Amino acid sequence: MLVSMDSQSFKSLDAIDLGWACMAPIMEPLRGKNPAVKSKAYSELTSSQQRLFMFYAFYNHAVKSAPEFYWWSAYYLAQPKLWSELGTRLGDAGSEDFVRLLKETEEVLRRHNHPRSFDTFDASPEDIQQDALLKQSILSLYAAFCEVTCVVRKELGEYVRNHPEEFVQFER
């Protein structure tokens, strides 16, 4: 499922914006759809597109704030296949710092009774206000997340730029 884009737009986007430009047309129509629809769309992507999909599905939510980072991390961790896929896809891309951050986040969450069963998932972004140690850990992890993801977004965009055939169908 290649994204249609004119070559001038492709060339003019900086590396940080290029990855999202190749994912937005795929991901935006999936907002609010049930998980089966999202899973089917994901399965139809190339391995490289799946890497971007997993990253942006997590990043676009978690980057909003430390409480959102906490909640989305707990949400993904409560779904072991999803959490594993995120780490595997970014590990395949050579994003060791991102994978290390995921492992550190998992350790913190496990110390605070995560993962909770997805069936009874009851975490809330406000949880970090109730636990000073959790809050301190999450604030530190979130700061690291913001730094690491800036680098990851650039690396992913550079990969797209060097392998356009995996992502883009240029308009004629």
Side-chain angles (χ1 to χ4, degrees):
M1 177 183 323
L2 299 178
V3 172
S4 181
M5 185 181 298
D6 68 83
S7 61
Q8 186 60 35
S9 294
F10 182 86
K11 291 174 186 173
S12 69
L13 289 166
D14 68 19
I16 288 180
D17 294 328
L18 187 56
W20 177 241
C22 291
M23 275 295 103
I26 293 169
M27 296 178 78
E28 292 292 335
L30 297 174
R31 284 186 194 256
K33 301 288 186 201
N34 74 44
V37 171
K38 293 176 183 179
S39 181
K40 182 179 183 321
Y42 180 77
S43 72
E44 294 172 356
L45 300 175
T46 67
S47 178
S48 296
Q49 288 175 314
Q50 288 176 344
R51 181 179 312 124
L52 262 63
F53 189 101
M54 286 304 298
F55 174 76
Y56 281 108
F58 182 71
Y59 170 81
N60 286 346
H61 292 94
V63 74
K64 293 177 183 173
S65 67
E68 290 294 319
F69 170 77
Y70 159 75
W71 190 89
W72 284 99
S73 296
Y75 178 79
Y76 271 59
L77 188 59
Q79 300 172 80
K81 184 177 178 186
L82 197 57
W83 185 256
S84 175
E85 185 78 0
L86 178 61
T88 298
R89 290 291 173 190
L90 275 293
D92 290 347
S95 299
E96 290 98 17
D97 290 341
F98 186 82
V99 173
R100 187 173 20 263
L101 178 68
L102 289 178
K103 289 179 182 174
E104 291 172 15
T105 302
E106 181 175 351
E107 290 170 11
V108 166
L109 291 175
R110 287 192 186 283
R111 283 197 304 268
H112 293 274
N113 301 318
H114 291 281
R116 298 176 183 155
S117 163
F118 187 67
D119 295 334
T120 60
F121 186 76
D122 63 350
S124 166
E126 289 77 35
D127 289 350
I128 68 171
Q129 302 305 328
Q130 312 304 318
D131 183 329
L133 288 175
L134 177 61
K135 181 178 182 176
Q136 180 182 4
S137 295
I138 293 298
L139 289 174
S140 176
L141 288 166
Y142 178 68
F145 173 79
C146 291
E147 286 182 31
V148 167
T149 55
C150 186
V151 173
V152 170
R153 289 173 60 216
K154 184 176 182 187
E155 291 171 348
L156 292 173
E158 287 171 354
Y159 183 88
V160 170
R161 181 145 348 267
N162 293 324
H163 303 90
E165 70 283 356
E166 296 180 34
F167 302 92
V168 178
Q169 172 75 45
F170 289 113
E171 297 170 353
R172 299 187 193 273

